[in-house]
Amino acid sequence: MNNRFWRIESRPKGNDFASALALVEEPLGELAQGEIRIRNAMLSMDAGTRMWLTSREDGYQPPLPTGAPMTGLVVGEVIASRADGFAEGDLVRAFGVWGEVSQVDAVMSGAVKLDPSVADRRAWFGPLGMNGWTALWGIEQTGAAKPSERVLVSAAAGATGVLAVQIAKLLGCEAWGIAGGAEKCRYLTGELGLDGAIDYKAGDVGAQLDAAGGFDVYFDNVGGALLDSVLTRMNHYGRIAVCGLLADYGGNARTTPREFDQILMRRLRVEGFFSPDFMDQGERLTARLRGWHEAGELTMPYDVTRGLENTLTAYEKLFTGGNIGKVIVELER
């Protein structure tokens, strides 16, 4: 059985993914003990995977080697299994490959069986998946947001940010988002009912933050210069939950806050967090998120691209601001 998949040929420069990844076809190996073979139905596009394509050895996981398949979350159907607990026909989510088929070790890939009764299976990438887990954990645990506190989320129109701002509202907080462009800001305040939105493309971000007032919790997906602007607008004893560093992913930039002294002056707590830290809580987190989702209180817009050959076009949107919500590639059958 052959498989078409995206292979890493070289380290991409900036957003030039087409020169660095190639769509290839190779035969699949024999299924080993403990492995499952998944016919991928959907691929999740996640900005954090950009760091896996760099040569950085000091990230939260080693870089993917050149010559290897590109890795990411997939949802699909098990078509063969030599792993306990998985049978042909099971709907699963796992860390697989950007390809038609993912052949993975069930344990090492974090494969989990999914409830096929969920009407929109895209939700397993969004509110019921790691984006949802990360948003809930970052607001409630790392950020320790309390009712009536003021919460600010960067990249608030992205897959994790759009859930984080809604969860902040559901927990009784005043929720604000930072996004790029009038359309995204209108979505945040109009469709989602946020208390306010900061348009980082509209001019002086500092002045916009000053007009908004101080914040108790900052859920940061961006880092970079934006973090400096927020540090000087945090309330005393505020918490900064560092979820991502989008400003750093595309090149050699490193977030080095000029306003670092504000952590002392304002007695701030800054803490990074990452989904493997709470992977064991997935079932509990999903149950809470599903309750909100099925009640219509937690929504996700989807940006869907169809066809494996168009994967890189979808991926680039994450770094050019071309999406609202979750970017997904659906594979044609």
Side-chain angles (χ1 to χ4, degrees):
M1 181 179 183
N2 284 354
N3 186 30
R4 282 199 312 151
F5 64 93
W6 287 95
R7 185 173 63 200
I8 305 166
E9 304 292 296
S10 62
R11 303 294 178 198
K13 293 180 173 59
N15 296 332
D16 184 11
F17 302 115
S19 297
L21 286 88
L23 187 59
V24 300
E25 184 169 347
E26 291 183 359
L28 288 164
E30 293 294 318
L31 202 64
Q33 186 62 40
E35 288 188 337
I36 56 176
R37 187 175 289 163
I38 306 165
R39 180 185 292 114
N40 296 334
M42 297 183 292
L43 311 178
S44 174
M45 300 289 103
D46 297 288
T49 60
R50 178 64 180 85
M51 195 157 60
W52 305 352
L53 291 168
T54 71
S55 57
R56 285 186 61 173
E57 297 285 350
D58 60 346
Y60 47 73
Q61 73 170 52
L64 294 171
T66 55
M70 182 57 189
T71 299
L73 278 172
V74 306
V75 164
E77 180 183 313
V78 175
I79 55 175
S81 173
R82 294 191 65 193
D84 292 341
F86 294 90
E88 187 175 334
D90 286 343
L91 181 68
V92 297
R93 181 182 61 221
F95 278 99
V97 303
W98 286 5
E100 294 175 334
V101 174
S102 292
Q103 186 164 304
V104 294
D105 182 280
V107 174
M108 296 303 294
S109 68
V112 293
K113 290 197 289 186
L114 304 175
D115 182 352
S117 71
V118 172
D120 188 347
R121 293 183 176 183
R122 298 176 302 182
W124 293 113
F125 279 154
L128 306 185
M130 289 189 186
N131 290 124
W133 296 358
T134 301
L136 177 54
W137 193 271
I139 292 292
E140 188 174 54
Q141 300 297 323
T142 308
K146 303 175 184 63
S148 79
E149 287 192 319
R150 307 186 81 233
V151 175
L152 178 66
V153 178
S154 59
T160 300
V162 80
L163 296 172
V165 290
Q166 293 178 79
I167 289 169
K169 281 179 58 67
L170 287 165
L171 296 178
C173 300
E174 182 180 328
W176 287 66
I178 303 174
E183 179 187 359
K184 291 183 178 181
C185 289
R186 280 194 298 269
Y187 175 79
L188 294 174
T189 56
E191 295 293 320
L192 299 186
L194 297 196
D195 295 279
I198 307 297
D199 183 355
Y200 71 82
K201 292 184 177 180
D204 190 336
V205 171
Q208 294 183 66
L209 288 168
D210 286 338
F215 292 94
D216 301 295
V217 177
Y218 179 42
F219 187 112
D220 190 12
N221 290 301
V222 176
L226 187 58
L227 177 58
D228 278 315
S229 296
V230 176
L231 277 171
T232 57
R233 278 84 179 182
M234 290 294 292
N235 291 334
H236 281 62
Y237 305 102
R239 286 83 65 199
I240 298 175
V242 182
C243 177
L245 296 170
L246 189 59
D248 293 12
Y249 293 155
N252 297 319
R254 298 289 181 96
T255 293
T256 53
R258 291 182 294 104
E259 305 291 352
F260 184 83
D261 68 333
Q262 294 303 302
I263 296 171
L264 171 61
M265 305 309 173
R266 297 167 189 260
R267 278 78 99 195
L268 305 177
R269 177 168 63 80
V270 182
E271 182 178 348
F273 67 105
F274 180 49
S275 54
D277 300 341
F278 44 87
M279 198 74 73
D280 61 329
Q281 300 295 311
E283 187 174 342
R284 177 180 66 82
L285 296 171
T286 300
R288 288 186 67 196
L289 293 159
R290 187 169 179 176
W292 286 327
H293 179 60
E294 292 183 346
E297 296 175 318
L298 187 61
T299 63
M300 171 69 87
Y302 297 99
D303 185 310
V304 176
T305 297
R306 290 180 172 81
L308 181 63
E309 63 278 6
N310 297 317
T311 300
L312 301 188
T313 301
Y315 191 54
E316 187 176 352
K317 291 181 181 182
L318 300 173
F319 310 101
T320 60
N323 66 291
I324 295 178
K326 182 67 185 178
V327 178
I328 291 174
V329 175
E330 290 186 347
L331 305 190
E332 297 171 348
R333 297 296 173 203

